[in-house]
Amino acid sequence: MSRASSHALKHPPVKAPSEPAGAPKDIVEKDLVEKDFPELDVAIEAPRRRGRGAQSNASGRYEAEARTAFDDGWQSLDELPPFKTTVALDSSRKVIARNDSPDIGFDRSINPYRGCEHGCVYCFARPTHAYLGLSPGLDFESKLLAKPDAPALLEKELAAPGYEPRMIAIGTNTDPYQPIEREWKIMRGILEVLERAGHPVGIVTKSALVVRDIDILQRMAKRSLVKVALSVTTLDPKLARTMEPRASTPPKRLEALQQLAAAGIPTTVMVAPVIPALNDAEIERILDAAAHAGVKEASYVLLRLPLEVRDLFREWLLANYPDRYRHVFTLIRDMRGGRDYDSQWGTRMKGTGPMAWMIGRRFEIACEKLGLNKRRSRLTTDHFVKPKGGGQQLNLF
């Protein structure tokens, strides 16, 4: 049988690889994998993680010990099944999450799901799965939690005495239109509540499934209650499938942008994340394609590698683009004050230094040439009406 190794270390601090002068490239790459990155030894076999983004499933940072399967000679690893998506129920009693971050434009958000089947390897939300005792790796994209009571909970919170409406952001952590939404329809239920209450909402997604709800979104847009942002990371189908294995393809996202814009829904294209030496060369092409689809606004976010995301991204980069590894991380550190990640408010989204400045300037010039961001859509709270019920006494007459 396969056993759990109790002595296996959780992800150790990963050293910046040093390359001996004059060393042959194949020897350097071999040393890189075997010495500097011992965690690559526990990568899950490709057939078991087919269609997934992460390469491994290491324990979360709060676990007392890490476990990994190894072959003890009985070939039992061949019997391990592939990772399948499972959905459990989230029993949260509240659905609106609050934040006081000074560098984002909202103070409240909703996440209909925990974990995300899209499997984007760079997703900065992956570390949140560690709070559940699960891995930010393959568990994050295969062991999902759904909040079917979210619409009812939202209605109750909106009806609470003292509630003051401000834009609610949805999709800022995990994608509300990930594949399981087709069956659960939680996001649609949330939109129905927000429409009835006249409450503004901003949506971020990578999924073309958002067009399913154009009927609701169009009605809300007429009252300045909604705006939608689609993230288009690359136009290269191979890179997209490798990096975001279960998200909508780039053409589908552009088509969704076109349909939303044609319906009169304020629509933004997000070039996010920008990864140096991997997709940064596509900034202008993505913006051009979105502008031709009718989009009027655009934004970008630099790659972020907090906590476990750093090692997961390393593993993925070494497995898929080993020749670019050193260059990518050199540029990342140039934009993060010499570190793999800098979480400082105000700079974490855009980075610092000459390379970060150049990316920002290229983005600005492209937007100016294409006529993007000439006007910013604004949402209103003027239509808000507290829902009846949810702890509020109903009128007798």
Side-chain angles (χ1 to χ4, degrees):
M1 296 179 62
S2 59
R3 301 174 182 172
S5 173
S6 61
H7 64 274
L9 296 176
K10 285 191 283 187
H11 282 247
V14 182
K15 302 175 292 181
S18 58
E19 185 172 318
K25 188 176 185 299
D26 57 341
I27 295 178
V28 169
E29 294 299 336
K30 185 172 184 294
D31 288 343
L32 176 65
V33 173
E34 293 182 355
K35 296 179 181 179
D36 290 328
F37 297 90
E39 67 269 31
L40 293 186
D41 294 337
V42 297
I44 304 298
E45 297 82 358
R48 292 191 61 213
R49 53 179 170 79
R50 184 179 180 184
R52 304 292 179 178
Q55 307 289 305
S56 64
N57 205 37
S59 302
R61 60 191 178 282
Y62 298 115
E63 304 308 299
E65 60 181 17
R67 298 176 180 273
T68 183
F70 72 94
D71 192 346
D72 59 3
W74 293 94
Q75 288 80 46
S76 55
L77 287 181
D78 296 338
E79 302 168 7
L80 295 176
F83 281 79
K84 293 184 178 180
T85 301
T86 61
V87 184
L89 298 183
D90 186 306
S91 58
S92 300
R93 296 183 179 181
K94 291 189 176 182
V95 72
I96 299 179
R98 306 278 180 161
N99 79 83
D100 57 2
S101 300
D103 60 348
I104 54 178
F106 58 89
D107 67 353
R108 63 200 70 183
S109 60
I110 295 174
N111 291 292
Y113 305 100
R114 302 182 74 170
C116 185
E117 195 177 5
H118 281 164
C120 306
V121 70
Y122 53 73
C123 181
F124 63 83
R126 284 182 177 273
T128 61
H129 239 45
Y131 297 132
L132 307 175
L134 298 172
S135 172
L138 290 164
D139 282 349
F140 176 80
E141 50 195 285
S142 61
K143 294 184 178 180
L144 313 178
L145 281 82
K147 304 176 182 179
D149 295 334
L153 292 171
L154 173 60
E155 195 160 35
K156 182 177 180 181
E157 290 183 57
L158 297 183
Y163 178 81
E164 294 292 334
R166 289 188 64 182
M167 186 196 75
I168 290 177
I170 306 181
T172 57
N173 199 41
T174 57
D175 201 309
Y177 285 105
Q178 59 179 286
I180 60 172
E181 167 64 14
R182 294 184 183 277
E183 176 184 352
W184 290 78
K185 298 182 175 64
I186 299 173
M187 181 60 181
R188 186 170 178 88
I190 290 172
L191 288 177
E192 290 170 345
V193 171
L194 293 173
E195 183 188 14
R196 288 195 299 268
H199 197 293
V201 59
I203 301 168
V204 179
T205 183
K206 285 189 179 72
S207 176
L209 180 59
V210 66
V211 300
R212 178 200 66 187
D213 296 333
I214 275 185
D215 56 332
I216 299 177
L217 298 174
Q218 190 173 39
R219 293 194 299 267
M220 295 182 75
K222 290 178 180 178
R223 297 194 290 163
S224 298
L225 292 175
V226 68
K227 55 184 178 180
V228 179
L230 258 83
S231 172
V232 181
T233 316
T234 178
L235 298 179
D236 180 347
K238 180 180 178 182
L239 175 58
R241 185 55 59 209
T242 305
M243 189 165 58
E244 309 161 332
R246 301 197 179 194
S248 296
T249 63
K252 286 291 186 182
R253 291 185 226 181
L254 291 172
E255 183 182 342
L257 284 169
Q258 186 174 34
Q259 291 183 50
L260 291 166
I265 299 162
T267 310
T268 300
V269 61
M270 295 180 63
V271 187
V274 175
I275 306 173
L278 200 62
N279 74 338
D280 64 310
E282 297 188 68
I283 292 174
E284 290 83 359
R285 283 187 290 146
I286 292 171
L287 293 176
D288 182 66
H292 279 82
V295 173
K296 301 300 182 184
E297 299 181 39
S299 65
Y300 80 96
V301 179
L302 196 65
L303 175 69
R304 297 167 58 190
L305 298 175
L307 302 169
E308 292 95 342
V309 183
R310 180 193 66 169
D311 290 337
L312 290 167
F313 183 72
R314 285 182 188 275
E315 295 171 3
W316 176 86
L317 196 56
L318 281 166
N320 294 282
Y321 298 94
D323 56 323
R324 301 193 199 184
Y325 167 76
R326 294 182 185 280
H327 188 41
V328 169
F329 266 89
T330 295
L331 294 175
I332 288 173
R333 291 166 187 155
D334 285 346
M335 294 186 287
R336 296 296 187 187
R339 297 183 290 273
D340 292 338
Y341 181 55
D342 179 6
S343 61
Q344 175 126 13
W345 281 326
T347 60
R348 59 180 178 159
M349 305 294 186
K350 308 297 184 185
T352 59
M355 183 66 178
W357 179 88
M358 184 180 69
I359 287 174
R361 189 68 185 125
R362 283 174 52 204
F363 177 85
E364 291 169 358
I365 291 172
C367 286
E368 187 174 350
K369 289 176 63 176
L370 295 166
L372 299 173
N373 295 335
K374 295 295 184 183
R375 295 181 60 188
R376 292 285 188 178
S377 57
R378 296 186 179 278
L379 305 185
T380 181
T381 59
D382 293 346
H383 304 291
F384 179 69
V385 178
K386 283 184 180 291
K388 299 296 183 182
Q392 209 175 28
Q393 186 171 349
L394 300 178
N395 294 328
L396 291 176
F397 305 102

